[in-house]
């Protein structure tokens, strides 16, 4: 089988790329190693930037998002028992974000791909990508018990950090920059209404906490915990009590979260990673295959979406003009935005979390920074511009 673009990975970035290419009249094949049920239930991000929402709408995948997604015009920062709201539209000229779970984005894109797009093969495990530096790279994969091959004009790796596509770039041609943080997140999904209609990010001496949501009746909540934490060591009541303590308000000591049945509990390690370049020959990397950010800045899914938006434009330009100019600049274009998002995620993470080794001096610096964001229009605007998403052609 041959296709113009072979896409490895059927997560949100691979599916969005396939959809954008289909709308541009460019054929593709998507190979996903997991089954459909697993992909549609995989819990990940829940915040969509303005540019991601615009791209989903342009791809024809905005119907349910517009009907069920929750537009958010800000976030609340809490520290030292005080709260400050960051107003996104006021600070960014009208931009906002949406709460719409990655699981729902994936369901929407899968339905469209199966109804209108090119082949989408589940349980198709890619074992190798060969000939990256030739004009017809080859993908080897196993599907329905048989080893098969797919030749492509271009291969796009949307298969994550541990996927095979990264290894198609020779070790001597790639460099990976990494940072591991000395804490993790304990996350719960609960059948409980959100306590507030926007996200709450809280810094406290007990550690970081985040109150988020998936819908008007489902809350998504996180606690900073030590690396290596076993979720079994955190019974539900202990989680709720700790969330209440870290999110408490001096002006309202009776403030409490609305509790409900915890339906999911897991621990998420925190790390940053960037692989350069994002292109080698006719193999291109996108999403987690090229970069990982800690979730504090809500950048992961949105960075992946930005990659494939830029890539779809480049491939469309090639089809319409015969010019590889945009394709040749793909890696540099994406990496400028990636590094800004990495810095923002690092800033949010290190400002809001309590490092096990930090001193009282370090804590006062964090509090000073949060005070400045609350008091300074310019500091708040910098946060809002980064949170809602920087331009794709940064």
């Amino acid at each position: 089988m041959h296709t113009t673009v072979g896409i490895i990975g059927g997560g949100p970035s691979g599916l969005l790329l396939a959809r954008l290419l289909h709308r541009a009249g460019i054929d593709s094949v998507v190979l996903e190693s997991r089954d459909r049920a697993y992909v549609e239930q995989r819990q990940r991000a829940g915040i969509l930037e303005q540019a991601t929402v615009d791209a989903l709408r342009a791809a024809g995948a905005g119907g349910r998002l517009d009907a069920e997604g929750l537009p958010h015009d800000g976030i609340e920062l809490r520290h030292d028992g005080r709260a400050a709201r960051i107003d996104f539209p006021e600070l960014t000229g009208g931009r906002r974000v949406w709460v719409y779970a990655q699981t729902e984005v994936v369901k929407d894109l899968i339905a469209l791909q199966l109804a209108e797009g090119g082949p989408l093969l589940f349980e198709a495990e890619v074992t190798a990508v060969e000939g990256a530096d030739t004009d017809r790279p080859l993908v080897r994969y196993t599907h329905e018990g048989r080893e098969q091959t797919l030749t492509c004009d271009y291969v796009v790796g949307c298969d994550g950090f541990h996927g095979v596509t990264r290894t198609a770039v020779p070790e001597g041609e790639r460099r990976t920059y990494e940072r591991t943080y000395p804490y993790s997140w304990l996350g719960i999904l609960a059948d409980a209404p959100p306590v507030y209609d926007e996200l709450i990010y809280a810094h406290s001496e007990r550690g970081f906490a985040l109150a988020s949501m998936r819908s008007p009746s489902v809350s998504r909540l996180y606690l900073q915990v030590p690396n290596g934490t076993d979720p079994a060591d955190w019974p539900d009541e202990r989680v709720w009590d700790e969330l209440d303590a870290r999110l408490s308000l001096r002006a309202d000591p009776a403030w409490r979260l609305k509790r409900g049945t915890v339906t999911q509990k897991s621990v998420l390690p925190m790390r940053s990673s960037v692989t350069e370049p994002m292109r080698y020959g006719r193999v291109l990397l996108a999403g987690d295959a090229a970069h990982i950010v800690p979730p504090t800045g809500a950048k992961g899914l949105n960075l992946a979406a930005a990659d494939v938006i830029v890539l779809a434009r480049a491939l469309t330009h090639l089809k319409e003009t015969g010019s590889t100019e945009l394709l040749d600049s793909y890696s540099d274009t994406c990496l400028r935005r990636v590094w800004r998002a990495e810095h923002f995620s690092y800033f949010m993470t290190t400002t809001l979390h309590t490092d096990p080794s930090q001193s009282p001096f370090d804590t006062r610096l964090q509090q000073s920074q949060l005070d400045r964001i609350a008091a300074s229009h310019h500091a708040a605007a910098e946060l809002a511009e980064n949170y809602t998403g920087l331009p794709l052609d940064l």
Side-chain angles (χ1 to χ4, degrees):
M1 180 164 55
H2 179 80
T3 189
T4 302
V5 182
I7 301 171
I8 303 176
S13 59
L15 293 166
L16 178 57
L17 176 60
R19 183 64 186 165
L20 294 171
L21 294 178
H22 174 74
R23 303 277 279 199
I26 301 171
D27 61 288
S28 69
V29 174
V30 182
L31 304 175
E32 166 55 48
S33 63
R34 301 284 193 164
D35 61 41
R36 180 177 179 178
Y38 179 92
V39 175
E40 291 187 336
Q41 295 169 13
R42 186 164 44 194
Q43 290 288 340
R44 291 289 189 274
I47 302 295
L48 305 183
E49 292 176 3
Q50 182 79 59
T52 304
V53 170
D54 292 344
L56 289 167
R57 288 170 174 162
R64 206 157 63 91
L65 164 61
D66 286 329
E68 301 176 17
L70 305 175
H72 279 201
D73 287 339
I75 58 173
E76 186 172 282
L77 297 179
R78 293 187 179 183
H79 79 287
D80 193 30
R82 295 171 289 153
R85 182 174 181 271
I86 309 300
D87 188 313
F88 293 155
E90 178 186 349
L91 294 164
T92 65
R95 296 206 307 276
R96 51 171 39 171
V97 297
W98 276 255
V99 172
Y100 191 65
Q102 176 175 311
T103 50
E104 306 311 306
V105 173
V106 168
K107 289 174 187 176
D108 296 342
L109 290 170
I110 285 176
L112 284 169
Q113 184 72 6
L114 293 177
E116 304 174 10
L120 165 55
L121 305 182
F122 292 103
E123 298 180 89
E125 184 175 358
V126 174
T127 56
V129 177
E130 302 172 0
D133 55 353
T134 70
D135 61 2
R136 184 161 286 201
L138 181 143
V139 179
R140 297 189 183 277
Y141 66 100
T142 302
H143 185 240
E144 296 179 342
R146 295 189 300 115
E147 292 186 1
Q148 303 187 49
T149 60
L150 173 68
T151 58
C152 319
D153 294 341
Y154 294 93
V155 175
V156 181
C158 300
D159 52 343
F161 183 84
H162 298 291
V164 301
T165 315
R166 289 178 76 251
T167 63
V169 182
E171 285 190 19
E173 300 291 337
R174 72 176 189 266
R175 183 170 182 178
T176 299
Y177 304 85
E178 295 183 285
R179 173 184 290 272
T180 300
Y181 295 87
Y183 33 72
S184 300
W185 276 10
L186 173 68
I188 65 167
L189 202 65
D191 291 333
V195 69
Y196 187 57
D197 57 2
E198 293 174 344
L199 273 66
I200 303 173
Y201 288 78
H203 171 280
S204 80
E205 293 184 355
R206 303 174 69 100
F208 169 78
L210 171 61
S212 181
M213 70 283 292
R214 285 292 180 267
S215 76
S217 60
V218 176
S219 290
R220 185 69 161 156
L221 304 129
Y222 298 95
L223 286 170
Q224 175 189 339
V225 293
N227 288 340
T229 291
D230 184 347
D233 293 336
W234 282 80
D236 295 355
E237 286 305 306
R238 182 187 178 192
V239 174
W240 289 115
D241 290 345
E242 190 64 23
L243 284 164
D244 281 340
R246 296 188 192 184
L247 291 161
S248 63
L249 285 170
R250 189 186 305 166
D252 185 8
W255 184 94
R256 294 290 184 273
L257 287 162
K258 299 171 183 176
R259 302 189 178 193
T261 302
V262 175
T263 58
Q264 187 183 100
K265 190 183 298 179
S266 60
V267 170
L268 174 68
M270 307 280 281
R271 70 188 186 99
S272 301
S273 171
V274 179
T275 295
E276 297 183 352
M278 291 173 60
R279 179 189 178 185
Y280 175 75
R282 297 212 172 195
V283 170
L284 304 104
L285 305 178
D288 286 0
H291 43 73
I292 294 170
V293 291
T296 325
K299 293 293 136 207
L301 170 58
N302 294 293
L303 269 186
D307 291 345
V308 299
I309 293 167
V310 171
L311 182 52
R313 290 176 181 173
L315 290 165
T316 302
H317 183 71
L318 172 63
K319 174 179 181 288
E320 293 176 348
T321 69
S323 170
T324 63
E325 177 185 5
L326 296 183
L327 205 54
D328 293 340
S329 63
Y330 166 74
S331 181
D332 289 341
T333 299
C334 289
L335 283 170
R336 285 193 296 272
R337 196 173 192 274
V338 165
W339 278 112
R340 289 308 311 149
E342 288 282 357
H343 186 269
F344 175 67
S345 298
Y346 166 83
F347 166 77
M348 291 286 284
T349 301
T350 56
T351 300
L352 290 165
H353 290 72
T354 302
D355 190 305
S357 65
Q358 79 181 45
S359 67
F361 182 87
D362 298 323
T363 300
R364 291 295 291 125
L365 288 178
Q366 290 176 318
Q367 293 170 341
S368 174
Q369 180 62 57
L370 291 167
D371 284 340
R372 173 164 170 76
I373 293 170
S376 165
H377 176 91
H378 295 294
E382 177 71 10
L383 189 154
E385 289 171 359
N386 280 275
Y387 198 100
T388 57
L390 297 172
L392 295 179
D393 56 353
L394 175 69

